[in-house]
Amino acid sequence: MTPGSWNPTTVVQGIVWILLGLLLWPEPGTASMPLLMDSVIQALAELEQKAPVTEATHTATVWRLSAQDSGPHDPLYPFVLEGWSLKATELDPPALSPELRGLIKEVARHGVHGGQEYGVVLAPDGSTVAVEPLLAGLEAGLQGHRVINLTLDSTATPLGAGATFPDVGAVVPDIRATSPELRDTSPGVTSADVRAESPNVRATDLDVGATFPDVRAPSPDDEASSPDAKAKSPTTVDSLLGVTLARDLGLTFLQSPQTRSHPGLGAEGCWDKLSDPRNFTLLDPEASPLTTAFLNGALDGALLGDYLSRAPEPRPPLSHLLSQYYGAGVAGDPGLRSNFRRQNGAALTSAPILTQQVWGTLILLQRLEPAHPQLQGMSLEQLGEVAIRATKEFTEAFLGCPAIHPRCRWGAAPYRGSPTPLKLPLRFLYVHHTYLPAPPCTAFARCAANMRSMQRYHQDTRGWNDIGYSFVVGSDGYVYEGRGWDRVGAHTLGHNSRGFGVAFVGNYTAELPAEVALRTVRDVLPRCAVRAGFLRPDYALLGHRQLVRTACPGDALFHLLRTWPHFDANVKPRTARRASRSSKRKPAPVTLPATNLQ
């Protein structure tokens, strides 16, 4: 290639394929690098420095990706991402350090085996991310939104035996369900605001955050069994959604196509050591491959792939793009980062569109591999039913719920004693502010440190069994598990067994929490709790001061709570006690997180 014909996009695509090829054909060895997203970014940066700038780089690495000895055969990726008639060419990959080769082997393929999850890394925001769907989304985005046309008959015909898929390289229409740009907001408003400028605006009134969760996917009885179900079948598959979300959603829900049960979507887990992560153990040993880490990686791949497909030349180096996305935000936008993947994912497309993409991807897989054990003999209507159930569960149980960091993620000390189980569902949601720490926490490291500090105070100074709150909400886009959904807390004296105690990190006497935190407590967390059977549909929301003599949750926050749905105005606030007989006899102890909790 001459210098004048150098194409930055080709180079970036080649780097992705080199990394994918190395992932799927690793050398023997053991990783000596921690399983961190920063390590993956380091590997990409080294590849970007060493990869030769040639067209052959791109083509040859595709051959390696589709090599028969690279692992389980999957016809979808080489077909959707590169077309069907690629030439095989050998590649001598750029020399990587042994440490990076060991890392690449560790994250080669995503999998769940024996309660362990493989192919995942720990990101700076505290989330765990599967690398394989992330890289697939990046490659799909670099190639643009390509569309695969499907034939309309339901008989699966092997490729090469008469079935054709024209226009594989065509650009698919915009899949996003909201504005043409995820960041098309008024000046000064970022994606983090999610187009909710006023703290009194409910998430259900917005495009973003409500697009997925509040759209009910039709049930199998509504559509799959209708006379015109075949007429509504998809005619195209978008490459970006196909290789990130649609394929795995469809195949996982094919495990029980005739039932309404779902396969344990969105399981979380724990790293062996947060400072030097090597092994990731799932909290649910029976979890399906659709773990939180996999769905995180799939969403990140879809979001960044969408960004790359629209980015002008020259496109940013992938190491730079990932550093921004898992850091302060892409192109200076703090809303376009991993902390807000669920909100941005809800804005990317709609439930009906995703249903069509899952359905279409299953049809395509059936045609590519008619002997597939899960797809063989499945009718068009049966595949449509699976797509409806898969999309409904994903949108309601994952996108419709907040991202909750489990206790192990913030480094919780063990519970002291024997916890008392709650009798679910509960009737109340009690809102607190921590008071101290006073500043809102906007990054995982600070939020996690605040959680440990509050737990130490509650356990060591107050003598409680654990941190008092059920959940704590940061301003970083995450909820932090305290005592959780199952254990009686120590947050609202005399009422702990009747409701969940949810605290905002910060002092909200004179100011309000971040909008993303407010929306979580007002809409997302209770909606998810009701769906899961933890909270009654007719639950009442109360401020701490309505039940205990305290200033909590602060004047500014409490005045806002009074405007929220489910707020119970019939319970009058109890005046904070300035002096009592006991306080005259003995000075009250200095408290850190809040007063009069237990």
Side-chain angles (χ1 to χ4, degrees):
M1 177 181 290
T2 62
S5 63
W6 182 81
N7 187 334
T9 298
T10 300
V11 177
V12 176
Q13 286 178 323
I15 289 168
V16 175
W17 282 116
I18 290 172
L19 186 54
L20 280 169
L22 292 169
L23 288 177
L24 299 175
W25 198 5
E27 290 184 348
T30 303
S32 59
M33 297 184 68
L35 297 181
L36 296 167
M37 182 58 70
D38 288 342
S39 302
V40 173
I41 293 171
Q42 182 182 342
L44 277 170
E46 188 168 322
L47 281 171
E48 287 164 346
Q49 293 175 354
K50 295 182 177 181
V53 185
T54 64
E55 293 283 353
T57 299
H58 178 61
T59 304
T61 49
V62 174
W63 172 83
R64 175 164 292 194
L65 178 68
S66 57
Q68 292 298 319
D69 60 351
S70 63
H73 176 63
D74 186 340
L76 181 69
Y77 289 98
F79 179 75
V80 170
L81 294 180
E82 279 298 316
W84 191 244
S85 58
L86 292 167
K87 302 297 183 181
T89 307
E90 284 203 39
L91 169 72
D92 182 18
L96 291 177
S97 65
E99 293 80 11
L100 289 180
R101 281 190 171 274
L103 168 74
I104 288 172
K105 178 188 176 183
E106 290 293 316
V107 298
R109 283 188 177 274
H110 178 261
V112 173
H113 308 288
Q116 299 288 120
E117 188 169 8
Y118 301 92
V120 297
V121 295
L122 178 63
D125 66 348
S127 64
T128 302
V129 179
V131 176
E132 189 178 8
L134 167 63
L135 291 175
L138 292 175
E139 175 59 21
L142 288 168
Q143 295 184 12
H145 283 173
R146 303 168 71 233
V147 63
I148 295 91
N149 288 335
L150 302 171
T151 53
L152 296 180
D153 63 275
S154 60
T155 303
T157 304
L159 286 172
T164 58
F165 295 86
D167 301 328
V168 174
V171 177
V172 76
D174 202 329
I175 61 172
R176 280 159 291 154
T178 54
S179 64
E181 299 286 341
L182 283 177
R183 295 177 289 139
D184 269 359
T185 53
S186 59
V189 180
T190 68
S191 298
D193 299 315
V194 200
R195 290 194 286 278
E197 293 84 3
S198 168
N200 296 323
V201 178
R202 297 187 302 147
T204 51
D205 298 328
L206 306 170
D207 290 340
V208 180
T211 304
F212 259 122
D214 294 333
V215 176
R216 184 185 71 87
S219 69
D221 296 333
D222 294 335
E223 181 167 337
S225 60
S226 63
D228 60 345
K230 185 174 181 179
K232 298 179 182 178
S233 62
T235 58
T236 60
V237 172
D238 170 55
S239 61
L240 180 59
L241 288 179
V243 299
T244 53
L245 283 167
R247 171 191 176 276
D248 289 271
L249 277 174
L251 289 179
T252 300
F253 277 79
L254 271 171
Q255 295 173 355
S256 53
Q258 304 302 326
T259 68
R260 300 296 181 90
S261 63
H262 60 83
L265 179 147
E268 260 290 2
C270 297
W271 288 98
D272 52 347
K273 190 177 182 181
L274 290 174
S275 59
D276 185 27
R278 305 286 177 161
N279 298 290
F280 190 71
T281 303
L282 291 166
L283 294 173
D284 178 6
E286 304 299 323
S288 79
L290 290 180
T291 61
T292 293
F294 176 85
L295 295 174
N296 285 343
L299 276 178
D300 292 349
L303 291 166
L304 292 177
D306 178 70
Y307 177 86
L308 285 170
S309 72
R310 297 178 288 106
E313 299 285 1
R315 284 166 170 163
L318 294 182
S319 60
H320 184 62
L321 178 65
L322 294 185
S323 294
Q324 290 185 333
Y325 181 76
Y326 294 105
V330 174
D333 181 0
L336 189 50
R337 56 185 171 130
S338 55
N339 302 60
F340 306 111
R341 62 170 62 87
R342 298 196 192 199
Q343 295 93 321
N344 290 331
L348 183 65
T349 187
S350 68
I353 290 176
L354 183 59
T355 299
Q356 289 282 302
Q357 290 301 311
V358 174
W359 192 358
T361 301
L362 290 176
I363 295 172
L364 177 58
L365 281 168
Q366 191 180 55
R367 293 185 170 278
L368 291 173
E369 196 174 3
H372 192 291
Q374 291 176 275
L375 293 166
Q376 192 173 24
M378 295 286 289
S379 69
L380 193 68
E381 289 75 16
Q382 288 174 321
L383 295 179
E385 180 179 339
V386 170
I388 290 169
R389 291 194 304 108
T391 300
K392 178 176 171 58
E393 188 66 23
F394 171 68
T395 56
E396 293 182 2
F398 190 77
L399 288 185
C401 289
I404 301 178
H405 283 321
R407 291 169 58 88
C408 59
R409 199 66 51 81
W410 56 266
Y415 190 97
R416 296 177 181 175
S418 299
T420 302
L422 288 166
K423 296 180 180 179
L424 303 173
L426 301 187
R427 175 73 173 83
F428 296 98
L429 190 67
Y430 308 129
V431 179
H432 301 251
H433 71 167
T434 62
Y435 187 71
L436 291 173
C441 66
T442 57
F444 169 71
R446 173 51 53 194
C447 293
N450 287 347
M451 292 294 293
R452 294 191 296 270
S453 174
M454 287 187 285
Q455 186 189 41
R456 284 195 299 269
Y457 176 77
H458 288 174
Q459 287 184 323
D460 299 339
T461 302
R462 294 214 160 190
W464 299 349
N465 294 332
D466 198 2
I467 189 171
Y469 307 114
S470 305
F471 297 96
V472 178
V473 181
S475 296
D476 62 337
Y478 287 101
V479 176
Y480 291 77
E481 181 186 21
R483 299 206 187 187
W485 299 116
D486 302 318
R487 298 175 176 180
V488 174
H491 43 76
T492 311
L493 185 64
H495 303 268
N496 291 313
S497 64
R498 303 178 64 198
F500 298 106
V502 179
F504 292 91
V505 176
N507 176 4
Y508 298 107
T509 302
E511 60 184 26
L512 290 173
E515 174 59 28
V516 65
L518 290 170
R519 190 180 307 112
T520 295
V521 177
R522 180 185 59 223
D523 301 309
V524 185
L525 184 67
R527 181 175 60 209
C528 185
V530 169
R531 181 184 186 275
F534 301 135
L535 197 61
R536 285 171 46 175
D538 62 342
Y539 74 91
L541 185 144
L542 299 173
H544 187 196
R545 65 173 62 181
Q546 291 176 267
L547 300 172
V548 177
R549 290 178 178 175
T550 175
C552 180
D555 290 343
L557 178 55
F558 181 72
H559 290 322
L560 179 62
L561 294 184
R562 297 172 66 178
T563 69
W564 285 9
H566 290 273
F567 178 81
D568 190 347
N570 295 322
V571 180
K572 302 301 181 183
R574 300 186 66 180
T575 304
R577 179 167 42 196
R578 299 184 179 278
S580 64
R581 294 178 181 177
S582 60
S583 63
K584 291 177 181 178
R585 291 193 302 266
K586 181 179 179 181
V590 177
T591 61
L592 287 177
T595 58
N596 298 319
L597 292 176
Q598 192 174 34

